[in-house]
Amino acid sequence: MKDAAPTTAPETFYLKDYKPFGFEVEAVELTFKLAPNSTRVLSKIRFAPKENAADPRFFLHGEALKLISAKIDGAPVTPELIAGGLICDTPDTPFTWEAEVEIDPAANTALEGLYMSSGMYCTQCEAEGFRKITYYPDRPDVMSTFSVRIEGNEKVLLSNGNPTGSGDGWAEWHDPWPKPAYLFALVAGDLVNHPDSFTTRSGKDVELNIWVRPGDEGKCAFGMEALKKSMKWDEDVYGREYDLDIFNIVAVDDFNMGAMENKGLNIFNSSCVLASPETSTDANFERIEAIIAHEYFHNWTGNRITCRDWFQLCLKEGLTVFRDAQFTADMRSEPVKRIEDVIALRARQFPEDNGPLAHPPRPEQFQEINNFYTATVYEKGAEVIGMLKRLVGDENYAAALDLYFDRHDGQACTIEDWLKVFEDATGRDLSQFKLWYSQAGTPQVQVSEDYADGHYTLTFEQSTPPTPGQPDKAPRVIPIAVGLLSPNGGEVRATEVLELTEAKQSFTFDGLATKPVPSILREFSAPVILERETTNAERAFLLAHDTDPFNRWEAGNALATETRVSMVTEGAAPDGAYLDALEKLVRDDTLDPAFRALVLSPPSQSEIAQSLHNRGVTPDPQKIYDAAETFAQTLAQQLETSLPRLYAATTVDGPYQPDAHGAGLRALNGRILSLLTRLDGGEQAARQYQAADNMTQQYAALASLMKAENGESQSQAFFDQWQSDRLVMDKWFALQVACAAPDAAAGVASDLTGHALFDMKNPNRFRAVMGALAGNHAGFHHVSGAGYQLLAKNLIALDSLNPQTTARMCAAFQTWKRYDSARQALIRVELERILATEGLSRDTHEMVSRILQG
Ligand code: PHE
Ligand code: ZN
């Protein structure tokens, strides 16, 4: 049915066509009789027709279901099965619908609906997976209470809400909070738990569990602490308490995304919850803490207040990403988190916003909603909220959020509802601000300055390039945080937020005895591209003196980009002044090690390619790679005498703790080790590998050695040590490809797809290899085209098994128009090959068509 080959273009859904469902759903009762190939699902649903319904049709979504029987008020009926569901004649008074369907969880490799993973049953219903479980109005604005009975021989039988009874081979659950079907979940398996409890601020005891496969119980403690911290933080900062007697988290090995916020029963990709010092890096720990928080925070922003339709996805995702970033900033370092988020935004969202897949945070059309779980909806959605908060101020933000929860608790809402709350709480007109939700593309802001007689003027000009379907853009409201420094380093004007609302606008600062040095877009106050004619000397000044840590890092990042660009375009040597500045910073022990590690981390090769493209130069991936190598080698030589001391000074003694301070030191230590390895060929790295008692150091040593092509024995040892740990093996697979030289990468990846432990059906493993290939810039874009061919071949093979993951990974091709005509031609052949595949999923069809058209 839906997954069949689209013979014509698939149907497009539009925001403007929204119509409410014609019936209230008063209560849902479900019974599951579990069997791997023939699970029976019995539903009993109370419907009440709405008066004057815009769409009175009784249409229930359903896909890949075998209908066994249907009844209305106890009498058998014969519904008409139509594309994507069924329709049926119904009484015009409230009635009870009953249906029995059969489904095949064991054959479900798409990992949507009810499926099996490592012998356990689990579900994934967001966005439109519930329709693969039973016939239902599967749309987020239909909210109801759910009572669930599970019959199965598994030791653990879980669903949403509170447990209401259990016995031999059965369990019952009731969720008192009305919810959309996408938040439904069921888990059944022979699982073990890591239990704990939390007392809410009003004194309610909540039972907490993390459920895992036997053997993984030692990897739950960190996630549990993160959960309790999240619960406390949401009470303290947003005044939101948890609302059920129990909160369960389950780890599953096969999962398309990171995790899912099902009410009271969060389901996690095991890579996003399981952690131990021996198997997880510092980066893993930080990410796990953030994702646990993210899913928990959805309980209010997403579950209690949900989305009216899927066009409003950023209503819950943007806000919840914003909240989890605030949480991480509070738990760790605020500036470091901000820098990390901006790096990620530029790496993932900017290419999307400036290429064929560009769409606004609230899209107005889609073919497959799964293709819109994007960096734009999530990360830009969060940036928009950050701007809103900056514009209205912290107190108004808090008042608006209180009003949002008061006014909309229990509702399915829109971006209009969200903005209205801010307008009502602050008296501000947000109609121009709303353009951030409807316009795609990253605004470019050009700045010029003028100084005379003590008056300093900054003039800003904004414009946004055309994006698919949006040739012209109106000026937006852009909050620009600015501080002014005196030429000898002190701050003469503290940060203030300028509100740019016009296409061109000037702001004047008076009473300045000398021409100041401006620090513009502090904290990255808006997701824009700032363009300003400036000198490397001024950048170096800001790198040394800016009081805003973000802009300090930004100045270094700009210098790094400049020097790499001139190395590529002019064959220049690495900029000496920049190398000197870096050396000073690395040795400055008064600076946070995590910050120093970030300053030492070069912009990615893909980012350099984008910078070249923006300057009208066609990027040559091999040259960019060579420049990166030369730069790192030169830096290592410059630091030669200090590296051993720095290495020793940043080595953390004592037992491993995944805290922010230790992680920062280890991050810096890892950067230093990689430089040191360029000089000593891997002696120190080999010693570190040998001595490491935690994955962070073991992995850093292995990565350095492999990069130096001197890690074969350690790579083998690593494999032998960890071959039965899936998550560690994902690291091993990815590292082979990430460290491969440009002309070897595709071959290495291809060989790995033939490895006994490679498994197409496991998204983590597939992504480990193919994601690492796409991330090896010079390898993926090797002029032979081997990288493109290998990725396309594997995407075609995966599509019939798992359309969602396939479609998402097509984005590796989204930057194709940056490159030379020979590479473009090679990519076009592959994109067309994918598109011509017989039986191609709607998901992949939409992605590839958009990439080709844009
Ligand atoms: N809603 C999930 C989150 O962001 C992501 C997700 C989407 C998971 C779709 C699975 C499927 O937390
Ligand atoms: Zn989310």
Side-chain angles (χ1 to χ4, degrees), residues 447-675:
V447 198
S448 57
E449 60 181 336
D450 188 59
Y451 177 77
D453 309 326
H455 305 294
Y456 179 70
T457 301
L458 286 172
T459 301
F460 298 91
E461 271 181 85
Q462 60 163 307
S463 65
T464 305
T467 51
Q470 295 189 335
D472 303 307
K473 307 282 200 314
R476 307 183 207 200
V477 187
I478 304 180
I480 301 182
V482 173
L484 301 179
L485 300 163
S486 84
N488 51 31
E491 194 172 65
V492 289
R493 280 297 172 88
T495 306
E496 74 188 83
V497 179
L498 310 178
E499 284 182 32
L500 177 61
T501 56
E502 320 270 316
K504 181 171 181 180
Q505 203 172 344
S506 297
F507 301 85
T508 299
F509 302 82
D510 298 325
L512 293 162
T514 48
K515 179 170 182 272
V517 179
S519 169
I520 306 173
L521 207 66
R522 286 186 155 180
E523 288 177 37
F524 201 66
S525 59
V528 301
I529 295 168
L530 193 69
E531 289 165 355
R532 174 162 172 261
E533 296 231 348
T534 175
T535 60
N536 280 351
E538 190 179 301
R539 292 191 179 104
F541 172 85
L542 289 173
L543 175 59
H545 299 290
D546 204 325
T547 47
D548 178 67
F550 175 81
N551 260 5
R552 211 171 164 186
W553 170 83
E554 180 80 314
N557 191 53
L559 282 169
T561 306
E562 287 307 316
T563 188
R564 297 261 291 283
V565 165
S566 43
M567 288 171 75
V568 171
T569 55
E570 301 155 26
D575 179 42
Y578 173 53
L579 288 167
D580 291 344
L582 269 187
E583 178 167 10
K584 246 206 203 127
L585 273 165
V586 186
R587 297 164 115 194
D588 185 348
D589 291 335
T590 65
L591 290 172
D592 179 3
F595 177 80
R596 284 189 275 161
L598 286 167
V599 175
L600 263 189
S601 305
S604 72
Q605 291 172 41
S606 171
E607 245 183 284
I608 300 295
Q610 182 65 44
S611 298
L612 287 165
H613 174 74
N614 294 347
R615 294 163 204 232
V617 180
T618 304
D620 178 338
Q622 182 65 43
K623 279 194 182 158
I624 295 173
Y625 174 89
D626 293 340
E629 287 297 305
T630 305
F631 185 84
Q633 194 65 34
T634 313
L635 179 62
Q637 269 145 12
Q638 164 122 4
L639 293 174
E640 180 161 14
T641 51
S642 25
L643 283 177
R645 181 196 70 76
L646 281 167
Y647 178 79
T650 54
T651 300
V652 190
D653 299 320
Y656 174 90
Q657 290 289 335
D659 60 289
H661 180 71
L665 272 172
R666 281 183 295 269
L668 182 54
N669 186 254
R671 294 293 311 138
I672 291 171
L673 181 66
S674 76
L675 293 170

Side-chain angles (χ1 to χ4, degrees), residues 1 57-70 77-88 97 99-101 135:
M1 285 179 293
R57 206 172 55 136
F58 185 71
F59 169 71
L60 302 181
H61 294 103
E63 264 173 43
L65 303 173
K66 190 161 122 198
L67 181 62
I68 308 293
S69 67
V77 290
T78 311
E80 184 186 346
L81 301 184
I82 63 171
L86 61 73
I87 47 176
C88 194
W97 160 267
E100 178 166 358
V101 301
Y135 288 100

Side-chain angles (χ1 to χ4, degrees), residues 114-128:
L114 179 67
Y115 65 95
M116 303 203 69
S117 171
S118 304
M120 67 198 261
Y121 294 88
C122 58
T123 55
Q124 175 51 47
C125 293
E126 188 178 4
E128 299 180 332

Side-chain angles (χ1 to χ4, degrees), residues 291-350:
I291 296 181
I292 299 244
H294 179 98
E295 305 312 330
Y296 176 73
F297 296 158
H298 267 314
N299 192 54
W300 276 94
T301 52
N303 301 3
R304 290 285 288 255
I305 304 179
T306 191
C307 302
R308 187 192 73 173
D309 53 68
W310 291 118
F311 300 101
Q312 321 292 331
L313 181 58
C314 74
L315 177 74
K316 75 176 176 82
E317 294 305 346
L319 178 53
T320 305
V321 170
F322 181 71
R323 274 151 51 72
D324 84 55
Q326 288 182 301
F327 169 79
T328 298
D330 282 355
M331 296 298 123
R332 293 167 179 255
S333 150
E334 184 171 356
V336 167
K337 172 64 175 164
R338 188 64 188 139
I339 294 167
E340 288 171 352
D341 280 352
V342 174
I343 292 172
L345 190 78
R346 285 178 174 154
R348 304 199 314 117
Q349 202 275 326
F350 278 25

Side-chain angles (χ1 to χ4, degrees), residues 685-698:
R687 278 197 293 275
Q688 175 169 320
Y689 186 87
Q690 204 55 44
D693 65 355
N694 62 79
M695 180 51 68
T696 307
Q697 287 176 316
Q698 188 178 18

